[in-house]
Amino acid sequence: MISYRQRHPGVDELEAAGITCLPADFGSEAGILAFIEQVQQHADGLRAIIHNASAWQADPVPANGSAFNTLFHVHMLAPYLINLACEPLLRQSPIADIIHISDDVTRRGSSHRVAYSASKAALDNMTLSFASQFAPHIKVNGISPALIMLHPDDGVEYARQAMDKSVLKTVPGPEVVMQAVEYLLNNPYVTGTTLCLNGGRHLKN
Ligand SMILES: NC(=O)C1=CN([C@@H]2O[C@H](COP(=O)(O)OP(=O)(O)OC[C@H]3O[C@@H](n4cnc5c(N)ncnc54)[C@H](OP(=O)(O)O)[C@@H]3O)[C@@H](O)[C@H]2O)C=CC1
Ligand SMILES: Nc1nc2c(c(=O)[nH]1)N=C([C@H](O)[C@@H](O)CO)CN2
């Protein structure tokens, strides 16, 4: 089961493959609650919930609360309300997991994405709280990536500078996130942990 906001061709492919694709906009509490209602109508139980939705928003200039408001909803309120509402569905599964996708930027903050970084740091803290609240039946962990994949409009110089930020000097692609997800889903002794997926950036700054 996936949520989508804009109907990408990839959503059509998933739906054709039999995946339940639910429209959702987590930018408001009403949108989050509407998504929860859809999940409850489509699922009798859940093996895992992976919170991936995100907006890489820079801080607006001149300053206003728009980015903070959006990112509070998408990175904080949506995981919070979905986790609490779907706990009973997760308890139907003999093994259950919640995974929050965060961002390595929370290590140091961001001078141009204060709201983005703060909301991801809050998500990291919710990993700790929900891990305590839902144990022992449900494991709750995070994955904190640095640059995973380049955008189509990223230039060669941007890519070189990005690779130089880590000691492993690579932009690995989404497979490494899947490897981290599989590790967390399959390891019965890991909870309250956020996996650092950053090519060793912390060794450089
Ligand atoms: N890409 C990278 O290098 C890095 C990514 N990450 C994190 O990894 C995760 C995946 O990254 P990436 O794929 O690049 O993320 P994207 O920026 O592509 O966003 C992921 C999805 O979030 C959805 N989304 C955005 N706003 C909303 C909303 N209001 N309601 C519902 N869905 C919404 C988008 O849906 P739609 O397209 O339909 O609008 C999009 O498909 C994110 O949490 C990101 O913060 C962390 C560090 C590096
Ligand atoms: N929601 C998103 N979050 C992030 C993205 C993105 O495209 N969408 N991209 C990055 C960058 O790759 C950054 O890691 C480069 O240093 C971070 N977060």
Side-chain angles (χ1 to χ4, degrees), residues 65-192:
S66 60
F68 229 117
N69 184 49
T70 299
L71 297 169
F72 162 76
H73 281 92
V74 177
H75 292 166
M76 296 170 64
L77 191 62
Y80 176 78
L81 292 177
I82 292 167
N83 289 347
L84 291 171
C86 294
E87 180 191 358
L89 294 174
L90 288 164
R91 289 193 181 280
Q92 299 303 313
S93 173
I95 303 173
D97 285 85
I98 293 171
I99 298 176
H100 297 143
I101 308 294
S102 183
D103 189 318
D104 183 58
V105 77
T106 59
R107 269 189 310 109
R108 304 176 67 236
S110 169
S111 56
H112 299 299
R113 288 182 170 82
V114 175
Y116 171 88
S117 183
S119 60
K120 286 285 194 179
L123 185 60
D124 290 345
N125 189 262
M126 285 201 288
T127 296
L128 302 173
S129 299
F130 279 122
S132 298
Q133 183 179 134
F134 291 162
H137 189 87
I138 305 166
K139 296 183 280 132
V140 183
N141 292 289
I143 297 173
S144 196
L147 178 61
I148 293 295
M149 46 202 291
L150 294 164
H151 295 260
D153 52 357
D154 287 338
V156 173
E157 185 53 25
Y158 176 87
R160 189 193 62 73
Q161 287 173 6
M163 290 184 194
D164 269 351
K165 287 181 180 177
S166 75
V167 293
L168 294 183
K169 297 191 184 303
T170 181
V171 178
E175 177 54 34
V176 296
V177 179
M178 276 315 300
Q179 289 169 357
V181 168
E182 285 164 1
Y183 165 75
L184 291 174
L185 293 181
N186 296 320
N187 193 307
Y189 199 47
V190 177
T191 195

Side-chain angles (χ1 to χ4, degrees), residues 5 8 15 18 23 36 50 53 71 91 115 122 149 152 157 172:
R5 184 177 54 165
H8 299 282
E15 204 159 65
I36 289 169
I50 301 179
L71 297 169
R91 289 193 181 280
M149 46 202 291
E157 185 53 25

